[in-house]
Amino acid sequence: MNQVIETILDHRSIRKFEDTALTEEQIKTIVQSAQAASTSSFVQAYSIIGVKDKQKKARLAELAGGQSHVAENGHFFIFCADLHRLQFISEKENQDFNVVLESTEKFMVAVIDATLAAQNAVIAAESMGLGAVYIGGLRNELSEVCELLKTPDLVLPIFGVAVGYPVHKPGQKQRLPLEHVYHEEEYEQNKDVYLAQLEQYDQDITEYYNKRTNGQRKDTWTGQMSGMMSQKARLYMKEFVESKGFNKR
Amino acid sequence: MNQVIETILDHRSIRKFEDTALTEEQIKTIVQSAQAASTSSFVQAYSIIGVKDKQKKARLAELAGGQSHVAENGHFFIFCADLHRLQFISEKENQDFNVVLESTEKFMVAVIDATLAAQNAVIAAESMGLGAVYIGGLRNELSEVCELLKTPDLVLPIFGVAVGYPVHKPGQKQRLPLEHVYHEEEYEQNKDVYLAQLEQYDQDITEYYNKRTNGQRKDTWTGQMSGMMSQKARLYMKEFVESKGFNKR
């Protein structure tokens, strides 16, 4: 196994960081790594906003549902789907490309581009001895996040990434069985196979929590997922992304 | 610079592969690397379909607009946004979570999860001496792709990744200026700064093509982007993803 795959397989989300700011050199390497990712038709439909300001980070931590690691870290990156750049070009050239910019296809392109860049950033950071965690909680109240970051229309913060020196090394949670996620030639159609895989996984996850909490926590993955779905979170999203010019047609 | 960052920065899309199939061990390592990526609330809202069958790959190559490297490679992976698994759990528990599963938020979660996994897969492949290229062209005719792969509702192939031993090493295209993509504290508001960065980039790209083609190709990035936007590609996407149960509310 090479160093790259070791880094990838050793990933765990870090939620407690030393109070040491990243250097400009580290930030630059992380952003360059992000930019090296593939991008659909070379469109580079994303932007990254780096936040150091303590007050701003504290506010973002609140908006993300009170996650202290959003305020306390070495650097906070926000990854944005960005079609504003294309709109800027259209305006400069007196062209109206709204039918394209407002399409669900281009919304997907921008979300995908931003995410490819982000994962490169995270792997790069981890290879430098840093830890990272994605903050989907930024999507709790995107309207306030956009205001805080002064993003124009057609720029949508999709998640944050907190980076810094880790002060803990949490255990890794076992993923779904490989054969449940990876299908050959076509999607698995057999419901019995599908169900058996999920049941096996539930057992594995139950054992994991049982060990980690000395029998205190009884939990299955399917149970966690039901709980998550019953929360009905962020149902304002459709209207919000449309109000920013995305995903309208 | 460590080996991981070297691998990331050395990325280029490979569009011509040796006729050597990946081993099962290589495929497993790539999928395990994909699975190691972060996932929103541990939901793992993606699936990967691996295609070896030559006829199927040839058909996918056609559907992707005649890209021969979709047919000729060491292995073809298709990354899918997948909420079917959650729906399966809901049905098993006699619960109706449609309002959540059909939300734009969960559509984003699934697209993001699939993309995080894919970028890990690509970096892992590249670290093993393999090359890769994303195939967004799969989104040209998703209805036929879904039929070919027998994907149920709430599974959406979002792109392919062709992997194999590279037979060329293309040059790297210079990305947008770092300071244009990376903003500090808030999104760059100054239109003059924004425009100057794009103009500088256009000059760089023009020089790149000029050198590479001995003056034959005159091109700017903003010109390429205008051309891309005028194509009005894949405008069926909104209706299609909704028909699969995504992004409806």
Side-chain angles (χ1 to χ4, degrees):
Chain A
M1 198 187 302
N2 65 52
Q3 204 187 324
V4 178
I5 291 170
E6 266 173 37
T7 301
I8 287 174
L9 296 183
D10 195 47
H11 167 73
R12 50 207 84 208
S13 296
I14 300 300
R15 292 188 175 82
K16 202 159 172 54
F17 301 100
E18 284 178 18
D19 185 19
T20 307
L22 265 58
T23 64
E24 290 305 312
E25 192 57 32
Q26 286 174 318
I27 295 170
K28 193 177 162 190
T29 301
I30 290 170
V31 175
Q32 283 174 330
S33 297
Q35 288 195 268
S38 283
T39 158
S40 173
S41 306
F42 206 36
V43 65
Q44 306 170 73
Y46 65 94
S47 290
I48 309 168
I49 303 175
V51 179
K52 289 177 185 165
D53 182 81
K54 279 183 195 282
Q55 247 183 320
K56 193 174 276 186
K57 289 209 287 192
R59 180 64 184 135
L60 289 167
E62 269 174 37
L63 292 172
Q67 300 189 47
S68 59
H69 43 280
V70 174
E72 290 151 23
N73 50 56
H75 200 69
F76 193 64
F77 296 92
I78 293 151
F79 285 80
C80 306
D82 187 343
L83 300 175
H84 169 72
R85 196 175 287 124
L86 295 183
Q87 196 181 40
F88 187 89
I89 294 170
S90 315
E91 281 171 16
K92 189 168 78 76
E93 299 185 354
N94 281 318
Q95 301 229 43
D96 178 359
F97 291 129
N98 283 340
V99 64
V100 171
L101 294 172
E102 293 174 352
S103 67
T104 293
E105 160 67 14
K106 279 289 176 290
F107 176 56
M108 290 173 68
V109 161
V111 170
I112 290 169
D113 266 17
T115 306
L116 293 174
Q119 186 57 11
N120 262 14
V122 165
I123 298 288
E126 289 175 342
S127 78
M128 295 156 76
L130 298 162
V133 60
Y134 281 90
I135 308 294
L138 276 202
R139 295 197 304 278
N140 287 348
E141 300 198 49
L142 272 183
S143 162
E144 296 212 38
V145 170
C146 288
E147 219 170 285
L148 203 63
L149 303 175
K150 302 213 169 85
T151 50
D153 281 355
L154 286 170
V155 175
L156 186 76
I158 57 171
F159 46 69
V161 177
V163 177
Y165 289 96
V167 298
H168 66 152
K169 189 170 182 174
Q172 284 185 304
K173 270 192 281 189
Q174 189 177 331
R175 268 38 182 173
L176 281 160
L178 186 142
E179 60 278 14
H180 187 69
V181 165
Y182 181 67
H183 306 235
E184 288 180 336
E185 300 301 338
E186 57 189 40
Y187 200 89
E188 177 63 59
Q189 298 294 307
N190 187 320
K191 286 199 175 189
D192 295 335
V193 172
Y194 205 85
L195 179 62
Q197 290 167 342
L198 286 176
E199 285 175 344
Q200 178 58 53
Y201 186 50
D202 271 346
Q203 279 182 29
D204 295 344
I205 292 292
T206 301
E207 267 172 43
Y208 167 84
Y209 285 114
N210 193 42
K211 262 192 200 158
R212 219 178 70 156
T213 65
N214 287 321
Q216 292 299 295
R217 181 167 170 184
K218 304 201 184 305
D219 221 342
T220 63
W221 184 74
T222 59
Q224 288 177 356
M225 292 304 109
S226 293
M228 182 270 294
M229 284 188 280
S230 65
Q231 283 174 29
K232 302 199 184 351
R234 306 174 194 153
L235 297 184
Y236 76 104
M237 193 58 73
K238 185 165 198 289
E239 203 178 325
F240 184 77
V241 302
E242 286 173 4
S243 79
K244 291 293 172 182
F246 288 99
N247 194 32
K248 288 169 77 167
R249 47 178 153 187
Chain B
M1 198 187 301
N2 64 52
Q3 203 187 323
V4 179
I5 291 170
E6 266 173 38
T7 301
I8 288 175
L9 295 183
D10 195 46
H11 167 73
R12 52 206 83 207
S13 296
I14 300 299
R15 292 187 176 81
K16 201 159 174 53
F17 301 100
E18 284 177 19
D19 185 19
T20 308
L22 265 59
T23 64
E24 290 305 312
E25 193 57 33
Q26 285 174 319
I27 294 170
K28 193 176 163 191
T29 301
I30 289 170
V31 175
Q32 282 174 333
S33 297
Q35 288 195 269
S38 284
T39 156
S40 174
S41 307
F42 205 38
V43 66
Q44 307 170 73
Y46 65 94
S47 289
I48 308 168
I49 303 174
V51 179
K52 288 177 187 166
D53 181 82
K54 280 182 195 282
Q55 246 183 321
K56 194 174 274 184
K57 289 209 287 191
R59 180 65 185 135
L60 289 167
E62 269 174 36
L63 292 172
Q67 301 189 47
S68 59
H69 44 279
V70 174
E72 291 152 23
N73 50 54
H75 200 69
F76 193 65
F77 296 93
I78 294 152
F79 285 80
C80 306
D82 188 342
L83 300 174
H84 168 72
R85 197 175 286 124
L86 296 182
Q87 196 181 38
F88 187 89
I89 295 170
S90 314
E91 280 171 16
K92 188 168 77 78
E93 299 186 354
N94 280 318
Q95 300 229 44
D96 178 359
F97 291 130
N98 283 340
V99 64
V100 171
L101 294 173
E102 293 174 352
S103 68
T104 293
E105 161 66 14
K106 279 291 176 289
F107 177 55
M108 290 173 66
V109 162
V111 170
I112 290 169
D113 266 17
T115 306
L116 293 173
Q119 186 57 12
N120 263 15
V122 165
I123 298 288
E126 289 175 342
S127 80
M128 294 156 77
L130 298 162
V133 60
Y134 282 91
I135 307 294
L138 276 201
R139 296 198 304 279
N140 287 348
E141 300 198 50
L142 272 183
S143 163
E144 297 212 37
V145 171
C146 288
E147 219 170 285
L148 204 62
L149 303 174
K150 302 212 170 88
T151 51
D153 281 355
L154 285 171
V155 174
L156 187 77
I158 57 172
F159 47 70
V161 177
V163 177
Y165 289 96
V167 298
H168 66 153
K169 190 170 181 173
Q172 283 185 305
K173 271 193 281 189
Q174 189 177 329
R175 269 38 185 173
L176 280 160
L178 187 143
E179 60 276 14
H180 188 69
V181 165
Y182 181 66
H183 306 236
E184 287 181 334
E185 300 301 340
E186 58 190 39
Y187 200 90
E188 178 63 58
Q189 299 294 308
N190 187 320
K191 286 199 176 191
D192 295 335
V193 171
Y194 205 85
L195 180 62
Q197 289 167 342
L198 287 176
E199 286 176 342
Q200 178 58 53
Y201 186 49
D202 271 346
Q203 279 181 28
D204 295 344
I205 292 292
T206 302
E207 267 172 44
Y208 167 83
Y209 284 113
N210 193 42
K211 261 192 203 160
R212 220 177 69 154
T213 65
N214 287 322
Q216 294 297 298
R217 182 167 169 184
K218 303 201 184 309
D219 220 342
T220 63
W221 184 73
T222 58
Q224 288 178 356
M225 292 304 109
S226 292
M228 183 268 296
M229 285 188 279
S230 65
Q231 281 173 32
K232 302 202 184 349
R234 305 173 195 154
L235 297 183
Y236 77 104
M237 193 59 72
K238 184 166 198 290
E239 204 178 325
F240 185 78
V241 302
E242 286 173 5
S243 78
K244 291 293 173 184
F246 289 100
N247 195 32
K248 288 170 79 168
R249 46 179 155 187

